Amino acid sequence: MSLRINDIAPDFTAQSTEGEIRFHDWIGDDYVIIFSHPKDFTPVCTTEFAAVANLQDEFAKRGTKVIGVSVDPLDSHQKWKADIAQYGGTEVSFPLIADPDLTVAKLYDMIPAETVLPDGRTPAHTATVRSTFFIGPDKKIRAAIIYPMTVGRNFQEVLRVLDALRLTDGVPLATPADWKQGDDVIVALVLDDAQAKEKYGELDIQLPYIRKAKQPS
């Protein structure tokens, strides 16, 4: 069965560039983004890892840990980190999980369960391993984005989704299409107009079911 929003993120123990990871323990009380790659030393993956390395402070400001997964062994990851730093100009300080036996990839439905990688495998053999999962402090999957091999991820969109998840977590709010930090938000219909106004201030009622308010600080 595929993983769905609000499923508990599968737990695992794996080796990483920052030592052994016991995933649920490692999450702690933070948000986590786990993102996967089909192979080390590949062009799109290298640009993506460099992008995340340059956004490490942005994730930290949001109380969020990032962790990568790639289906190559640990010694390959350690060598690849030098290329990522050379390309992006920033050292990678977040963990990169070694998943040569596809344990994590299969747990997270990143690749068909029956997949067996041949010797001399190429990225084509793990083409579906380019997934991004957003996990809350409650260990539940809050969102997921899957890209094909040929399309590099937009990590500004990853930050936008993260901001929206954190803003709406446990409160009667949602974000409209194309929302970004500072834009108005939508007040959920569990509050009537009077309750919504008391809680969030003046409302911009564009339709009876679309009531916008200023983004709470």
mmCIF file with all atom_site columns, all heavy atoms in Angstrom, residues 124-135:
data_model
loop_
_atom_site.group_PDB
_atom_site.id
_atom_site.type_symbol
_atom_site.label_atom_id
_atom_site.label_alt_id
_atom_site.label_comp_id
_atom_site.label_asym_id
_atom_site.label_entity_id
_atom_site.label_seq_id
_atom_site.pdbx_PDB_ins_code
_atom_site.Cartn_x
_atom_site.Cartn_y
_atom_site.Cartn_z
_atom_site.occupancy
_atom_site.B_iso_or_equiv
_atom_site.pdbx_formal_charge
_atom_site.auth_seq_id
_atom_site.auth_comp_id
_atom_site.auth_asym_id
_atom_site.auth_atom_id
_atom_site.pdbx_PDB_model_num
ATOM 1  N N   . ALA A 1 124 ? 19.049 4.872  -14.330 1.00 0.00 ? 124 ALA A N   1
ATOM 2  C CA  . ALA A 1 124 ? 17.798 4.413  -14.937 1.00 0.00 ? 124 ALA A CA  1
ATOM 3  C C   . ALA A 1 124 ? 17.162 3.278  -14.143 1.00 0.00 ? 124 ALA A C   1
ATOM 4  O O   . ALA A 1 124 ? 15.940 3.116  -14.133 1.00 0.00 ? 124 ALA A O   1
ATOM 5  C CB  . ALA A 1 124 ? 18.040 3.975  -16.375 1.00 0.00 ? 124 ALA A CB  1
ATOM 6  N N   . HIS A 1 125 ? 17.994 2.491  -13.448 1.00 0.00 ? 125 HIS A N   1
ATOM 7  C CA  . HIS A 1 125 ? 17.455 1.386  -12.668 1.00 0.00 ? 125 HIS A CA  1
ATOM 8  C C   . HIS A 1 125 ? 16.724 1.867  -11.420 1.00 0.00 ? 125 HIS A C   1
ATOM 9  O O   . HIS A 1 125 ? 15.933 1.131  -10.826 1.00 0.00 ? 125 HIS A O   1
ATOM 10 C CB  . HIS A 1 125 ? 18.581 0.416  -12.245 1.00 0.00 ? 125 HIS A CB  1
ATOM 11 C CG  . HIS A 1 125 ? 19.184 -0.306 -13.399 1.00 0.00 ? 125 HIS A CG  1
ATOM 12 N ND1 . HIS A 1 125 ? 20.446 -0.026 -13.878 1.00 0.00 ? 125 HIS A ND1 1
ATOM 13 C CD2 . HIS A 1 125 ? 18.698 -1.300 -14.184 1.00 0.00 ? 125 HIS A CD2 1
ATOM 14 C CE1 . HIS A 1 125 ? 20.714 -0.828 -14.899 1.00 0.00 ? 125 HIS A CE1 1
ATOM 15 N NE2 . HIS A 1 125 ? 19.681 -1.611 -15.103 1.00 0.00 ? 125 HIS A NE2 1
ATOM 16 N N   . THR A 1 126 ? 17.008 3.084  -10.989 1.00 0.00 ? 126 THR A N   1
ATOM 17 C CA  . THR A 1 126 ? 16.374 3.629  -9.781  1.00 0.00 ? 126 THR A CA  1
ATOM 18 C C   . THR A 1 126 ? 15.676 4.944  -10.100 1.00 0.00 ? 126 THR A C   1
ATOM 19 O O   . THR A 1 126 ? 15.613 5.860  -9.285  1.00 0.00 ? 126 THR A O   1
ATOM 20 C CB  . THR A 1 126 ? 17.427 3.849  -8.678  1.00 0.00 ? 126 THR A CB  1
ATOM 21 O OG1 . THR A 1 126 ? 18.554 4.542  -9.223  1.00 0.00 ? 126 THR A OG1 1
ATOM 22 C CG2 . THR A 1 126 ? 17.891 2.528  -8.107  1.00 0.00 ? 126 THR A CG2 1
ATOM 23 N N   . ALA A 1 127 ? 15.107 5.001  -11.287 1.00 0.00 ? 127 ALA A N   1
ATOM 24 C CA  . ALA A 1 127 ? 14.566 6.267  -11.790 1.00 0.00 ? 127 ALA A CA  1
ATOM 25 C C   . ALA A 1 127 ? 13.462 6.836  -10.919 1.00 0.00 ? 127 ALA A C   1
ATOM 26 O O   . ALA A 1 127 ? 13.255 8.051  -10.894 1.00 0.00 ? 127 ALA A O   1
ATOM 27 C CB  . ALA A 1 127 ? 14.045 6.070  -13.219 1.00 0.00 ? 127 ALA A CB  1
ATOM 28 N N   . THR A 1 128 ? 12.725 5.980  -10.216 1.00 0.00 ? 128 THR A N   1
ATOM 29 C CA  . THR A 1 128 ? 11.624 6.507  -9.416  1.00 0.00 ? 128 THR A CA  1
ATOM 30 C C   . THR A 1 128 ? 12.089 7.052  -8.069  1.00 0.00 ? 128 THR A C   1
ATOM 31 O O   . THR A 1 128 ? 11.296 7.585  -7.307  1.00 0.00 ? 128 THR A O   1
ATOM 32 C CB  . THR A 1 128 ? 10.565 5.416  -9.174  1.00 0.00 ? 128 THR A CB  1
ATOM 33 O OG1 . THR A 1 128 ? 11.191 4.302  -8.528  1.00 0.00 ? 128 THR A OG1 1
ATOM 34 C CG2 . THR A 1 128 ? 9.928  4.971  -10.455 1.00 0.00 ? 128 THR A CG2 1
ATOM 35 N N   . VAL A 1 129 ? 13.373 6.882  -7.751  1.00 0.00 ? 129 VAL A N   1
ATOM 36 C CA  . VAL A 1 129 ? 13.854 7.345  -6.456  1.00 0.00 ? 129 VAL A CA  1
ATOM 37 C C   . VAL A 1 129 ? 14.199 8.836  -6.543  1.00 0.00 ? 129 VAL A C   1
ATOM 38 O O   . VAL A 1 129 ? 15.347 9.238  -6.566  1.00 0.00 ? 129 VAL A O   1
ATOM 39 C CB  . VAL A 1 129 ? 15.074 6.526  -5.975  1.00 0.00 ? 129 VAL A CB  1
ATOM 40 C CG1 . VAL A 1 129 ? 15.458 6.946  -4.563  1.00 0.00 ? 129 VAL A CG1 1
ATOM 41 C CG2 . VAL A 1 129 ? 14.755 5.051  -5.986  1.00 0.00 ? 129 VAL A CG2 1
ATOM 42 N N   . ARG A 1 130 ? 13.169 9.690  -6.623  1.00 0.00 ? 130 ARG A N   1
ATOM 43 C CA  . ARG A 1 130 ? 13.355 11.142 -6.514  1.00 0.00 ? 130 ARG A CA  1
ATOM 44 C C   . ARG A 1 130 ? 12.096 11.685 -5.831  1.00 0.00 ? 130 ARG A C   1
ATOM 45 O O   . ARG A 1 130 ? 11.243 12.302 -6.459  1.00 0.00 ? 130 ARG A O   1
ATOM 46 C CB  . ARG A 1 130 ? 13.581 11.785 -7.887  1.00 0.00 ? 130 ARG A CB  1
ATOM 47 C CG  . ARG A 1 130 ? 14.166 13.203 -7.755  1.00 0.00 ? 130 ARG A CG  1
ATOM 48 C CD  . ARG A 1 130 ? 14.181 13.925 -9.092  1.00 0.00 ? 130 ARG A CD  1
ATOM 49 N NE  . ARG A 1 130 ? 15.154 13.414 -10.037 1.00 0.00 ? 130 ARG A NE  1
ATOM 50 C CZ  . ARG A 1 130 ? 16.468 13.639 -9.975  1.00 0.00 ? 130 ARG A CZ  1
ATOM 51 N NH1 . ARG A 1 130 ? 16.974 14.323 -8.984  1.00 0.00 ? 130 ARG A NH1 1
ATOM 52 N NH2 . ARG A 1 130 ? 17.260 13.169 -10.894 1.00 0.00 ? 130 ARG A NH2 1
ATOM 53 N N   . SER A 1 131 ? 12.002 11.389 -4.545  1.00 0.00 ? 131 SER A N   1
ATOM 54 C CA  . SER A 1 131 ? 10.812 11.731 -3.771  1.00 0.00 ? 131 SER A CA  1
ATOM 55 C C   . SER A 1 131 ? 11.188 12.674 -2.633  1.00 0.00 ? 131 SER A C   1
ATOM 56 O O   . SER A 1 131 ? 12.321 12.672 -2.150  1.00 0.00 ? 131 SER A O   1
ATOM 57 C CB  . SER A 1 131 ? 10.186 10.473 -3.168  1.00 0.00 ? 131 SER A CB  1
ATOM 58 O OG  . SER A 1 131 ? 9.903  9.513  -4.159  1.00 0.00 ? 131 SER A OG  1
ATOM 59 N N   . THR A 1 132 ? 10.208 13.471 -2.193  1.00 0.00 ? 132 THR A N   1
ATOM 60 C CA  . THR A 1 132 ? 10.386 14.380 -1.072  1.00 0.00 ? 132 THR A CA  1
ATOM 61 C C   . THR A 1 132 ? 9.210  14.203 -0.121  1.00 0.00 ? 132 THR A C   1
ATOM 62 O O   . THR A 1 132 ? 8.056  14.330 -0.538  1.00 0.00 ? 132 THR A O   1
ATOM 63 C CB  . THR A 1 132 ? 10.448 15.844 -1.541  1.00 0.00 ? 132 THR A CB  1
ATOM 64 O OG1 . THR A 1 132 ? 11.471 15.984 -2.528  1.00 0.00 ? 132 THR A OG1 1
ATOM 65 C CG2 . THR A 1 132 ? 10.741 16.781 -0.374  1.00 0.00 ? 132 THR A CG2 1
ATOM 66 N N   . PHE A 1 133 ? 9.507  13.898 1.145   1.00 0.00 ? 133 PHE A N   1
ATOM 67 C CA  . PHE A 1 133 ? 8.475  13.732 2.155   1.00 0.00 ? 133 PHE A CA  1
ATOM 68 C C   . PHE A 1 133 ? 8.650  14.783 3.239   1.00 0.00 ? 133 PHE A C   1
ATOM 69 O O   . PHE A 1 133 ? 9.769  15.023 3.709   1.00 0.00 ? 133 PHE A O   1
ATOM 70 C CB  . PHE A 1 133 ? 8.534  12.342 2.790   1.00 0.00 ? 133 PHE A CB  1
ATOM 71 C CG  . PHE A 1 133 ? 8.113  11.228 1.872   1.00 0.00 ? 133 PHE A CG  1
ATOM 72 C CD1 . PHE A 1 133 ? 9.046  10.555 1.095   1.00 0.00 ? 133 PHE A CD1 1
ATOM 73 C CD2 . PHE A 1 133 ? 6.781  10.856 1.777   1.00 0.00 ? 133 PHE A CD2 1
ATOM 74 C CE1 . PHE A 1 133 ? 8.663  9.529  0.246   1.00 0.00 ? 133 PHE A CE1 1
ATOM 75 C CE2 . PHE A 1 133 ? 6.385  9.827  0.926   1.00 0.00 ? 133 PHE A CE2 1
ATOM 76 C CZ  . PHE A 1 133 ? 7.324  9.171  0.160   1.00 0.00 ? 133 PHE A CZ  1
ATOM 77 N N   . PHE A 1 134 ? 7.536  15.382 3.640   1.00 0.00 ? 134 PHE A N   1
ATOM 78 C CA  . PHE A 1 134 ? 7.494  16.333 4.747   1.00 0.00 ? 134 PHE A CA  1
ATOM 79 C C   . PHE A 1 134 ? 6.896  15.587 5.940   1.00 0.00 ? 134 PHE A C   1
ATOM 80 O O   . PHE A 1 134 ? 5.775  15.074 5.853   1.00 0.00 ? 134 PHE A O   1
ATOM 81 C CB  . PHE A 1 134 ? 6.605  17.527 4.409   1.00 0.00 ? 134 PHE A CB  1
ATOM 82 C CG  . PHE A 1 134 ? 7.032  18.305 3.197   1.00 0.00 ? 134 PHE A CG  1
ATOM 83 C CD1 . PHE A 1 134 ? 6.827  17.804 1.907   1.00 0.00 ? 134 PHE A CD1 1
ATOM 84 C CD2 . PHE A 1 134 ? 7.626  19.558 3.324   1.00 0.00 ? 134 PHE A CD2 1
ATOM 85 C CE1 . PHE A 1 134 ? 7.197  18.530 0.792   1.00 0.00 ? 134 PHE A CE1 1
ATOM 86 C CE2 . PHE A 1 134 ? 8.000  20.292 2.207   1.00 0.00 ? 134 PHE A CE2 1
ATOM 87 C CZ  . PHE A 1 134 ? 7.790  19.781 0.942   1.00 0.00 ? 134 PHE A CZ  1
ATOM 88 N N   . ILE A 1 135 ? 7.610  15.546 7.039   1.00 0.00 ? 135 ILE A N   1
ATOM 89 C CA  . ILE A 1 135 ? 7.189  14.780 8.207   1.00 0.00 ? 135 ILE A CA  1
ATOM 90 C C   . ILE A 1 135 ? 7.107  15.718 9.409   1.00 0.00 ? 135 ILE A C   1
ATOM 91 O O   . ILE A 1 135 ? 8.025  16.516 9.650   1.00 0.00 ? 135 ILE A O   1
ATOM 92 C CB  . ILE A 1 135 ? 8.170  13.625 8.481   1.00 0.00 ? 135 ILE A CB  1
ATOM 93 C CG1 . ILE A 1 135 ? 8.211  12.684 7.266   1.00 0.00 ? 135 ILE A CG1 1
ATOM 94 C CG2 . ILE A 1 135 ? 7.797  12.859 9.747   1.00 0.00 ? 135 ILE A CG2 1
ATOM 95 C CD1 . ILE A 1 135 ? 9.322  11.667 7.304   1.00 0.00 ? 135 ILE A CD1 1
#
